[in-house]
Amino acid sequence: GEESNVDVVLHLGFGKCRLAVQAPVDKAITNPKELVGKRICTSFPRLTAEYFTSLDPKVTTPVKYVSGSVEAACGLGLADAVVDLVETGTTMRAAGLEIVSEIMTTETVLIQNKRKKHAKTVELIRKRIEGYMLAQKYKMVYYNIERINLDKAKMITPGKKSPTVQTLDDPDWIAIGAMVPITELSNIMDQLEEIGASSIFVVAIDNCRA
């Protein structure tokens, strides 16, 4: 395939895989240089050719493009090894293959044409996706606390920029709301309770903007 004339706009953080050289387990190949000059099947011919050329520029490795079921090529006698994406490795192992080497790691990304004509639309899409992704990593925590403990509370729940602080009927108490990382939520609630916070509750965030 030809190199795409695009820019990466946003890394989406899912669909992570490894593009790997795979060979039959019974061949016990441990060094990819052993496959230089051998028959290789792949859906990524340019990357594959460049990789094997880097291993030995003096030897041409025949690379055949296959659009699907790449892992079956060795079993059908069409290739000595394949280059394909590996996520969990289940399909690879079922085909009797194992990883010899990794060419690169990959993930799903949002891309745009370098000669884009609709820059505002691209930016709008980026913001919407980024906002949703951010919402999946955070939750809102709300609680009441004595005003004298405000500085301590801010240390525990600083929010993305700063927490929201509201007054209550009791002038000695305030209400605080802040975005907190989901991975730290339980510890944060414990710490808030330790400094005297009450009425602590958590709300999911469906979407947001940074």
Side-chain angles (χ1 to χ4, degrees), residues 51-71:
Y51 176 73
F52 279 99
T53 297
S54 71
L55 295 178
D56 190 341
K58 297 180 180 180
V59 179
T60 299
T61 299
V63 177
K64 182 177 182 180
Y65 173 76
V66 178
S67 60
S69 299
V70 177
E71 70 280 352

Side-chain angles (χ1 to χ4, degrees), residues 73-95:
C74 292
L76 294 173
L78 301 176
D80 299 299
V82 301
V83 172
D84 201 13
L85 291 173
V86 180
E87 186 174 7
T88 63
T90 302
T91 302
M92 174 186 69
R93 289 188 292 272

Side-chain angles (χ1 to χ4, degrees), residues 21-30 71 74-75 80-81 89 91-100:
V21 178
Q22 305 165 37
V25 174
D26 59 8
K27 298 297 183 182
I29 298 173
T30 58
E71 70 280 352
C74 292
D80 299 299
T91 302
M92 174 186 69
R93 289 188 292 272
L97 304 175
E98 64 181 353
I99 292 177
V100 177

